[in-house]
Amino acid sequence: MAAEAALVRVGRQQIEITRPEKVLFPEDGITKGELIEYYARIAPRILPHVCNRPLTLERYPNGIDSKRFFQKEVSSYFPEWIRRVTVKKVGGTVTHVVCNDTATLVYLANQACITPHIVLSKVDKLDQPDQMVLDLDPQGEDFELVRSTARAFKQLLDELELPAFLKTTGSRGLHIVVPLQRLETYDSVRDFARKLAAIIVSQAPKERTLEQLKAHRGTRVFIDTNRNGYAQLVAPAYAVRARKGAPVSVPIEWAELGKKGLRPNSVTIRSIFDWLEGVGDPWKDFWKSRASLVKARRKLMSPP
DNA sequence: GACTGGA
DNA sequence: TCCAGTCAACGCCCT
DNA sequence: AGGGCG
Ligand SMILES: [Mn+2]
Ligand SMILES: [Mn+2]
């Protein structure tokens, strides 16, 4: 018999788990209970990437084939021990969830939050991002163009002596993430991302594009530089995606780009823990590598 | 998913 | 007590 | 102001 509800203790908190047998991924039979177990177990890996940031919840209370919604404002019924941060928006303010512990991860998963989205800045310096993201979005399933575009970015970032870390999105593309020292505003970081992307597009304009309109992109990889704007959302490393198989965004080595078997969505909540045993932590040095864009910008202005 | 108001 | 209904984002680009 | 997009 399917257990209806249960009280679990996570650290200091008691959390009511409701309907753990509810299927959220119908093609795979993956339940809310499995989602909760995943986030509890991955906590040591994901918490560094979500902690101290305003979160936006992408929730699917009736599964991934039913209606989803994004949630920024903390619900009135969320327990008092859930941390929050109030940030500015155009018409006023919004109070977001902040997730700094396993208990909050478990609570959010029980809310059928499949993907907790982050922003690129942290609560103590909301206007200055601590990372820049190059978001590579293929239009179809042409992952080969994503690979070559990622390689081109890696070469350019190496030339500019900027650190760059690679992850799958769990969906169809890749993210290249550059950790930053928080010296610049969102607008400034986004302008820089646009300059880099313009160079990458110019190297292969038939394969890469900055076109906003899908109808104008053709089969080209869209380089989504607007991820670097204020209050823009990004799926963090180790987040689950609301797609068949419950795929996970995972950090990978640059060398993986050359391997034929690489797919953006092949690691799932059912395979990740076995998979992790065969890899180290490709992002081990991520937080030690935070860079400034000042010198890189100078190099861009005056090429060799 | 959780809450609310009316059978 | 049991539904049925209701609510849960937003910033940027382009026209 | 409103549609497309992520
Ligand atoms: Mn993407
Ligand atoms: Mn995108």
Side-chain angles (χ1 to χ4, degrees), chain A residues 38-300:
Chain A
Y38 167 76
Y39 276 114
R41 191 168 171 196
I42 206 66
R45 294 261 186 176
I46 194 176
L47 282 173
H49 299 288
V50 299
C51 72
N52 295 309
R53 296 173 195 276
L55 295 189
T56 298
L57 317 180
E58 184 184 354
R59 294 177 56 189
Y60 295 79
N62 294 306
I64 66 171
D65 292 338
S66 298
K67 192 153 96 177
R68 75 169 176 188
F69 61 92
F70 289 84
Q71 177 172 5
K72 296 199 171 186
E73 186 75 32
V74 173
S75 294
S76 57
Y77 57 80
F78 280 20
E80 85 293 334
W81 52 263
I82 298 267
R83 295 216 199 189
R84 303 127 202 266
V85 64
T86 299
V87 311
K88 297 178 187 235
K89 68 168 177 183
V90 171
T93 63
V94 194
T95 301
H96 292 251
V97 168
V98 172
C99 176
N100 287 2
D101 52 40
T102 307
T104 303
L105 280 176
V106 166
Y107 184 85
L108 296 181
N110 184 62
Q111 291 294 299
C113 171
I114 291 178
T115 312
H117 293 263
I118 62 168
V119 298
L120 299 184
S121 56
K122 307 190 76 159
V123 296
D124 61 331
K125 211 176 247 199
L126 284 168
D127 295 323
Q128 284 154 287
D130 74 338
Q131 45 201 280
M132 172 175 71
V133 175
L134 289 319
D135 174 24
L136 310 187
D137 293 338
Q139 290 316 286
E141 301 297 321
D142 194 350
F143 190 62
E144 292 314 305
L145 288 185
V146 177
R147 286 180 199 262
S148 55
T149 303
R151 276 194 215 99
F153 267 114
K154 175 58 172 162
Q155 178 177 341
L156 178 56
L157 292 165
D158 280 351
E159 286 167 4
L160 297 173
E161 297 181 88
L162 287 173
F165 295 84
L166 182 64
K167 70 183 182 75
T168 68
T169 64
S171 175
R172 281 159 33 185
L174 295 170
H175 286 163
I176 297 160
V177 187
V178 178
L180 298 177
Q181 282 180 43
R182 308 201 289 183
L183 302 175
E184 308 192 11
T185 63
Y186 275 99
D187 281 355
S188 170
V189 171
R190 182 175 53 189
D191 284 350
F192 187 77
R194 285 174 173 153
K195 288 191 173 83
L196 296 184
I199 291 170
I200 295 301
V201 168
S202 73
Q203 293 171 353
K206 300 309 250 178
E207 300 181 353
R208 308 163 186 164
T209 183
L210 294 168
E211 275 289 350
Q212 302 286 176
L213 269 191
K214 277 187 166 191
H216 294 171
R217 289 181 198 161
T219 60
R220 296 176 289 179
V221 174
F222 174 53
I223 304 169
D224 182 8
T225 57
N226 261 337
R227 287 316 91 204
N228 299 286
Y230 180 81
Q232 295 298 307
L233 309 181
V234 180
Y238 302 105
V240 180
R241 310 312 304 276
R243 305 177 66 90
K244 184 171 81 65
V248 177
S249 172
V250 286
I252 57 175
E253 302 281 359
W254 284 100
E256 295 294 315
L257 268 189
K259 301 192 182 172
K260 196 53 208 153
L262 177 66
R263 305 291 311 157
N265 59 354
S266 56
V267 177
T268 70
I269 65 171
R270 284 186 172 160
S271 67
I272 186 170
F273 294 105
D274 289 336
W275 178 83
L276 281 173
E277 295 193 5
V279 303
D281 182 0
W283 286 27
K284 166 175 38 71
D285 296 327
F286 185 86
W287 303 106
K288 299 184 230 173
S289 304
R290 292 176 296 202
S292 160
L293 297 180
V294 172
K295 289 179 181 173
R297 194 177 281 107
R298 204 145 50 215
K299 289 177 195 167
L300 264 196

